[in-house]
Amino acid sequence: MAQTLLVTGGAGFIGSNFILYWMEKHPEDKIINLDALTYAGNTANLASVEDHKNYIFVEGNITDRELVDRLMKDTDTVVHFAAESHVDRSILHPDTFITTNIIGTHVLLESALAHTIKHFHHISTDEVFGSLKLGDTAQFSEATPYNPCSPYSASKASSDHLVRAYGETYGLNYTITNCSNNYGEYQFPEKLIPLAITHALVDKPVPIYGDGLQVRDWLYVQDHCTAIEKVLESGKTQETFVVGGLTEDIPNIEVVATILRIMNKPDDMLTHVTDRAGHDVRYSVDWTKINEELGWNPSVTFEEGMRKTVKWYLDNQDWWQPLLTANKDFFKTNYSNRK
Ligand code: NAD
Ligand code: TYD
């Protein structure tokens, strides 16, 4: 049956991929995209659907209770992506992370409860679990205790706790996905993979924090969208699913080496710079539950996903070039002490 989805943060990287995916797969559903258009929000991502009769864009903040209430009236399902999402920015300026990720989530929960929303899906991260040990084989699962180490992951952990508390205490029908690092089309070029591609293309050194042996569990963004779809369609609530993409550890230096190889650039473009404060050294996700209970699998290998991603950034320079110019102060601040 057709439904209305309130998607928060739908002009960002994963949210816009999700909206494009959902509208293609579920054309009968209506999407309301609530996004504050921070530096990370970009309506250009959604140009292909902006005139669609089932798509409504609302520029606004998730902390605005009056606005959220107005939109919640017509909503069946909330898919909550809106967040401040970059660890380096959270180290420089934690305040907005607290406001958006914690207070904003609380406003949405209060409003969802008041409007008896059928399903509240919260998008979260594996970073809430903290860091695994390098060289270990342990993995994050739904049973892993929370141990966040950055202001970003601490604020996301807080939001997860609030969502669960609203489920347990007030009976809100919720689900949470804690997903690993995404990469793919429309990712803001401050994150490792698009930063490496956009630097390599203009023969700028690619900065690697510290020794570059840190490990992330990379997932192609389209596969994150299918995981969320599986959860929404399962009808299950009061459940958490961890989502990840890799079956082997790939250190950051190898991620960048793969990009340089695909782009036919020399290895020595990789440059070691000062490490990130409180840098988590290893993430790895055991996604058995979503695989066995909901039949979800990643659709592409890391090599395939990286090839698609490199091609997209090479073909869409008009999308990312203006972002580098508009955000040059951030890039300067984040890298100025990293010689
Ligand atoms: P992003 O930074 O690309 O996009 C965030 C979007 O939220 C932007 O469009 C921004 O304008 C909007 N936004 C920010 N503050 C807002 C506010 N107060 N009100 C309304 N809109 C606001 O982020 P992303 O990478 O697409 O991440 C989306 C979600 O997925 C986040 O919750 C993040 O924690 C989670 N997540 C991200 C990753 C990843 O690798 N990027 C992995 C796992 C989970
Ligand atoms: P990032 O893409 O910022 O995601 P997160 O911090 O949420 O995992 O960083 C991914 C990894 O790459 C992380 O270990 C930090 C590292 N990194 C670099 O080495 N150089 C860079 O310029 C950036 C942005 C990240």
Side-chain angles (χ1 to χ4, degrees):
M1 214 175 64
Q3 55 169 336
T4 299
L5 273 65
L6 174 59
V7 177
T8 70
F13 163 47
I14 308 172
S16 57
N17 275 287
F18 175 80
I19 290 177
L20 295 173
Y21 174 80
W22 195 271
M23 292 191 71
E24 176 94 28
K25 279 284 296 293
H26 309 269
E28 69 289 358
D29 286 352
K30 193 166 141 186
I31 302 252
I32 305 171
N33 175 11
L34 171 61
D35 197 297
L37 297 183
T38 67
Y39 79 95
N42 191 343
T43 52
N45 306 3
L46 295 154
S48 63
V49 296
E50 69 187 1
D51 296 326
H52 195 291
K53 67 175 176 27
N54 283 344
Y55 174 75
I56 298 169
F57 176 69
V58 179
E59 182 174 348
N61 203 299
I62 57 167
T63 58
D64 180 346
R65 176 69 194 264
E66 217 178 293
L67 172 63
V68 168
D69 273 343
R70 214 165 348 111
L71 303 178
M72 209 62 90
K73 274 195 189 108
D74 298 321
T75 297
D76 299 298
T77 298
V78 175
V79 188
H80 175 31
F81 293 94
E84 288 292 337
S85 70
H86 191 37
V87 173
D88 290 328
R89 287 185 193 256
S90 83
I91 295 168
L92 292 168
H93 306 290
D95 301 32
T96 49
F97 287 72
I98 309 303
T99 310
T100 290
N101 300 1
I102 307 178
I103 314 272
T105 301
H106 180 238
V107 168
L108 290 170
L109 289 168
E110 279 287 312
S111 181
L113 206 60
H115 293 88
T116 335
I117 290 306
K118 290 190 191 115
H119 189 154
F120 188 102
H121 182 66
H122 180 57
I123 312 292
S124 193
T125 163
D126 63 351
E127 303 192 24
V128 298
F129 303 122
S131 186
L132 296 165
K133 289 198 177 68
L134 215 51
D136 204 351
T137 53
Q139 293 193 296
F140 299 138
S141 76
E142 290 76 9
T144 306
Y146 279 44
N147 187 24
C149 302
S150 73
Y152 163 65
S153 54
S155 66
K156 290 297 291 186
S158 306
S159 65
D160 293 11
H161 291 321
L162 283 170
V163 173
R164 258 184 222 108
Y166 271 64
E168 294 300 320
T169 308
Y170 305 114
L172 180 77
N173 289 327
Y174 77 92
T175 41
I176 299 175
T177 40
N178 293 96
C179 187
S180 61
N181 287 61
N182 286 212
Y183 66 96
E185 298 82 353
Y186 301 115
Q187 186 167 33
F188 192 87
E190 66 189 350
K191 306 278 168 69
L192 177 65
I193 288 176
L195 185 115
I197 299 169
T198 53
H199 276 226
L201 186 67
V202 292
D203 296 320
K204 253 168 89 174
V206 178
I208 277 285
Y209 298 168
D211 58 16
L213 296 179
Q214 305 84 5
V215 171
R216 297 295 184 259
D217 183 330
W218 297 100
L219 181 70
Y220 184 52
V221 65
Q222 295 287 330
D223 286 330
H224 189 181
C225 296
T226 61
I228 298 165
E229 182 186 40
K230 286 276 188 200
V231 173
L232 292 177
E233 290 190 335
S234 72
K236 289 179 187 254
T237 58
Q238 324 312 97
E239 292 271 358
T240 293
F241 296 89
V242 299
V243 185
L246 294 187
T247 46
E248 54 171 343
D249 281 9
I250 306 182
N252 291 340
I253 38 172
E254 272 186 43
V255 171
V256 174
T258 304
I259 292 168
L260 296 175
R261 172 170 52 75
I262 293 172
M263 294 177 74
N264 290 319
K265 296 284 181 180
D267 275 357
D268 62 6
M269 288 189 67
L270 187 156
T271 310
H272 292 274
V273 297
T274 312
D275 207 350
R276 172 188 279 172
H279 198 165
D280 288 342
V281 291
R282 178 171 176 262
Y283 302 148
S284 179
V285 174
D286 173 1
W287 38 275
T288 307
K289 180 182 174 188
I290 190 165
N291 173 254
E292 289 187 350
E293 288 189 15
L294 306 184
W296 175 84
N297 269 304
S299 70
V300 293
T301 62
F302 181 67
E303 177 78 21
E304 286 164 347
M306 289 299 288
R307 285 189 178 277
K308 280 172 188 272
T309 305
V310 168
K311 181 172 181 341
W312 188 85
Y313 278 87
L314 298 189
D315 291 347
N316 289 279
Q317 294 183 38
D318 290 354
W319 180 85
W320 56 264
Q321 283 287 5
L323 303 178
L324 297 185
T325 313
N327 290 275
K328 60 178 184 307
D329 286 351
F330 165 74
F331 288 104
K332 204 168 150 207
T333 312
N334 193 45
Y335 290 108
S336 58
N337 65 343
R338 288 193 158 118
K339 297 293 174 224

